[in-house]
Amino acid sequence: MRTDASRLTGKHPAHVFRPLSEMLSRWAADGIDTTPFHVGVENAKRRYAGYGLAKMLPLGRVLVGCESSRVGAFGGFHHPDQGYRHLQMVAVITMYGPMERRNPECPALALLDLLRAYAHDCLHYGSRRRYVEVAGVPVRTQYGINYRRTTGQPYSAVDQCGSHHTRNLGIVMEGACDKEARAITRQTAERFGVAEPSDPLGALAFRDVTGTLTEEDAGRAKRVLGSEEQTRYVAALGGYEKGVNRRYTHFLEEFAPGEESECHTRLLAAIISGDVTALGVWLDERHGPGTFMGLFRTPGYFDPGLTV
């Protein structure tokens, strides 16, 4: 499973996938300055080491798609059916922008998008995982600070449709990983003076990767005109911002007002170690005993015979 990633790339038969290391070398050979990506990765290494992450996701296990034979193909962080896959330990991502080409249309933005995706997936790669064997199949029972019984019963419930808040550990973890990845990308953009593109879609994508989307951008996204794939991309961007990043921001504001950064840091350290003890004590000191369990554990988590 881990030596053959065709099961993952096979979902995108029109795209050509290459290891990230090879893709960066090809771009550099074609005159694209890839320095911002490499500097951003070094920054991520330093930050992640502080959370307990000792090893980054190997570049050879990140597959980047481009040179698509599908007319109008459009890639980037919000391209469907991509991301980190824990059983294969492989990340599948796509080049931001029009994909019917070898090199990105807007190299600076594509490199930032690539950095955001890689920094994000490194945290998924480094999150504590625990597996048990059930009928000869590996079943993940722990991922970071999230848990699942072998019957499939999740520790926390899915958020209600349209909710601005979250009590779902999957959303909290995803939001924490993306907040960190976008902070790294934003710092890189500032360091290298990458300006926001003037076109509406490019501007939205830039604000997305740097974590600077505003409430007004949601309405602005609906007015972006483009191809069918570009329209779907913008819709996915808006849905992810609303369903993940906004909910995580509200979670921090709810339970760590004035200490959002400290709570975020403690969450990431717990995700990497898989140990919620210190995080639980920190929350208990502010909200009373059993806060973590009270916030997230579903009443029926230990009920017998439940499956999902």
Side-chain angles (χ1 to χ4, degrees):
M1 183 183 294
R2 290 179 175 169
T3 57
D4 182 9
S6 60
R7 182 178 175 184
L8 302 178
T9 57
K11 295 181 179 181
H12 308 282
H15 307 341
V16 176
F17 285 91
R18 295 184 177 86
L20 176 53
S21 52
E22 179 181 336
M23 185 67 75
L24 290 169
S25 296
R26 287 163 62 91
W27 288 357
D30 289 342
I32 295 175
D33 183 7
T34 60
T35 303
F37 178 85
H38 294 293
V39 170
V41 169
E42 289 303 313
N43 183 25
K45 286 181 181 178
R46 290 190 294 271
R47 289 175 65 115
Y48 292 0
Y51 305 130
L53 181 59
K55 184 180 179 183
M56 301 285 277
L57 175 61
L59 296 182
R61 300 203 68 78
V62 181
L63 303 178
V64 185
C66 69
E67 296 182 77
S68 180
S69 61
R70 188 174 71 232
V71 176
F74 193 91
F77 184 81
H78 300 287
H79 189 281
D81 290 322
Q82 67 174 39
Y84 182 72
R85 300 295 181 257
H86 68 98
L87 285 175
Q88 291 85 1
M89 295 182 73
V90 167
V92 174
I93 58 181
T94 48
M95 176 183 75
Y96 173 78
M99 294 181 64
E100 300 170 80
R101 50 196 301 158
R102 169 187 172 113
N103 294 329
E105 183 176 75
C106 181
L109 182 54
L111 281 168
L112 290 179
D113 184 83
L114 195 64
L115 175 60
R116 185 260 193 102
Y118 177 69
H120 181 112
D121 287 342
C122 279
L123 289 171
H124 285 316
Y125 166 74
S127 299
R128 177 73 164 89
R129 294 187 296 276
R130 187 189 307 271
Y131 299 87
V132 297
E133 184 180 327
V134 179
V137 177
V139 175
R140 189 177 66 184
T141 57
Q142 179 181 0
Y143 168 50
I145 57 174
N146 202 1
Y147 312 94
R148 185 180 295 272
R149 296 186 63 196
T150 56
T151 57
Q153 175 71 11
Y155 190 85
S156 57
V158 175
D159 293 324
Q160 293 184 355
C161 182
S163 173
H164 295 293
H165 306 272
T166 186
R167 297 296 182 268
N168 181 271
L169 280 170
I171 296 296
V172 169
M173 288 177 52
E174 180 73 5
C177 291
D178 204 47
K179 178 180 175 66
E180 189 68 11
R182 298 204 296 181
I184 289 165
T185 307
R186 182 169 60 254
Q187 291 173 3
T188 304
E190 291 170 353
R191 176 171 178 175
F192 287 90
V194 181
E196 180 180 300
S198 58
D199 65 289
L201 178 52
L204 275 177
F206 179 86
R207 295 178 188 181
D208 177 45
V209 301
T210 56
T212 55
L213 286 169
T214 65
E215 295 288 349
E216 292 74 23
D217 285 329
R220 197 173 289 123
K222 298 177 182 178
R223 299 192 294 272
V224 172
L225 300 177
S227 67
E228 182 179 347
E229 288 212 25
Q230 289 173 331
T231 301
R232 285 202 300 267
Y233 189 88
V234 170
L237 184 158
Y240 187 85
E241 175 68 11
K242 182 178 179 180
V244 175
N245 286 310
R246 292 293 178 189
R247 287 183 184 177
Y248 180 62
T249 297
H250 291 153
F251 173 81
L252 293 177
E253 292 170 348
E254 276 186 285
F255 294 98
E259 298 179 287
E260 291 92 343
S261 180
E262 176 70 14
C263 185
H264 171 69
T265 297
R266 289 177 177 274
L267 272 164
L268 283 173
I271 289 169
I272 298 301
S273 70
D275 187 349
V276 299
T277 303
L279 173 64
V281 169
W282 192 84
L283 290 170
D284 287 353
E285 289 173 348
R286 287 151 179 78
H287 304 287
T291 299
F292 183 89
M293 183 177 66
L295 278 173
F296 298 113
R297 198 176 82 184
T298 57
Y301 182 65
F302 289 113
D303 288 353
L306 289 176
T307 59
V308 293

